[in-house]
Structures are given as structure tokens and as C-alpha cells.
Amino acid sequence: MISIIKRIVKTGTVALVCAAVLGLSVKLYAGDSTESPAMLAEHIVYIENMEFSPSQLQVKVGDSITWINKDFVPHTATALDKSWDSKNLSKGDEYTLVVTADIPTDYYCFYHTNMVASIEIME
Amino acid sequence: MFTSLTKRLASVLVVLGLSVGGAANAQSPEDLNDLEIAHVAYVADNIDIQYAHLALALSENPNIHEFARTMIRDHEAVNEQALGLLAKLGVEAKDNFLSQKLIADSKGIIDKLTALRGAEFDKAYADNELGYHKAVNGLVEGVFIPNIQNAEVKALFEAGLKIFKAHEKHAQMMVDTLP
Ligand SMILES: [Cu+2]
């Protein structure tokens, strides 16, 4: 039993040594999606039947969010403090926002103020 | 089920000021065909657009102005869809007793609103928007949608109802937050 544990510890040590030899950082193993363009996501929020769908969206810094209006009445996607704003979106129009760390996450439709939704910025 | 629908229908008619009982040959909203229903909806849209223009002219409250602009934008969009569909189907909406009743009622309401100013106007406009959307939504949901025969016309009314229900909520919020 003890010998098995010893072997596992040894194997782990060997792996770390190998990584060091190859010049790889341990951080790379953990993965860092915000620094890798391939990991960035493009999210879509549909505005349909007088609702944002999904109404809550998890994103990461660097991701993009695109709102597409599928209703025949115009809508907007507007930050509560108006710091970002799609302006008028008629049917079929879309608006894309790239997520930065400091953007306000609660938003609404300026035309239909009871249409509210939010994004959540994940670490 | 039947009883609750009947009750609901009765309350809708009362809100619209229509007689629930009446003579055997009296027309009721249930008797309207698709083309008459389309006419009622078109008239109802235009009445709300008129109220909104009045609000833009008489109110000084920015929230009332935004709401009124939304009513104009959305009801015009609905009318455009409705006219497009009627043109595609090669038919014309047909005037009827209910369209005429709505227009007659709206004249009295416009007279009443026109005499008001400031906070009094805002309150009366918001109350009227809430009551009007409630009444029309009840009619659309309880009578028109179940009775419409054409599938495309029905689909348009279902989409319209979602929009008007959002307006009703918006009007409720306005009524609740007016000073
Ligand atoms: Cu909207």
C-alpha cells in the first residue's frame, strides 16, 4: 500500500520535472481561456415575444454577446446606466458587445422598460 | 371551464361598456368574422396611437412621453403587419358595430383628456392606458383568438397579444409610479 502511494508521488514529481525541462509553466495546465483566442465564446441573446432569451447569461471577459431582434416591434438592449446601448433594433437587426471586466451587467429595453435581463461575468 | 370563460367574457364586455344581455338579434363580439375582427384590431390600434399623440402634446412627464412613443412605434408596427397580411390574403377588413362603438367611446375619452393638464392629465392618461389595454387584451384573448378561423390571422393576433400584454404591464408600472 505504502509503495503504491510512493509510486504515485514519484510519478507526480517526474511529471513536474518533465514540465520544467520542456519549459512549460504549470499555469498552462490549469488553462487560461481569457488569454487564448480559441477559447472565446460568441453568445447570442434572442429578443423574442417581448423577452430577452436567455434572460441571464454567463460570459467571460473577451467573449462577445450578440442580441438579435426576432419581434416585429423594435426593441433595444441598453445597460441600466446607458453606458452601452444597442439603440433601435428593428426586426432582424443585431448588436454585438465585447465583454470587458468593468461593464455594467444589468440591462433593459429602453422602449419596454419592464423587459429586463442581466449578464454575469465569470472568473 | 365554460362558466369561467362566460364570466370572463361578461367582465370584458362590461369593461367595454357593452350590454351582456340584449335582444336576440343584437350583435356581440362573438359573432364577428375574421375580417371584422381585423377591423376592430386596426381601429383599436389607431385609437391608442391617437391617445399617445395627445400625451406627447399635453404631458410634460418624460416617462409618459417615452411610453407614448412606444405605443405609437408598436401599434404602427402591428398595423403594418396586419395590413401586409390582409394584402397577402387579398381581402379587406370590414367595418362593424364594435369598431364603431370603440371609435365613439374614444371620442369621449379624448374630450376628457384634452381638458386636463400636468399631473392630472398624466394620471388620467396612464389609468386609461391600463384600462384600455386590459379590456382589449381580454377581448383578444377570450373572444377573438378562439374565434379566428384563418391560421395566419390567428398567429398575428397571438403575437399581438404578447405585445399588448407587455404594454399592459408597462402601463401598470406607470400607474404605480406616477407621483
Ligand atoms: Cu422592447
Side-chain angles (χ1 to χ4, degrees), chain A residues 49 72-73 111-114, chain B residues 70 73-74 81 169-170 173:
Chain A
N49 294 325
F72 58 73
V73 293
Y111 298 152
H112 309 101
T113 49
N114 44 342
Chain B
T70 290
R73 192 186 303 114
D74 287 0
Q81 292 291 315
K169 272 197 220 161
H170 197 164
M173 197 168 74

Side-chain angles (χ1 to χ4, degrees), chain A residues 74-75 109 112 115:
Chain A
H75 294 289
C109 170
H112 309 101
M115 285 175 65

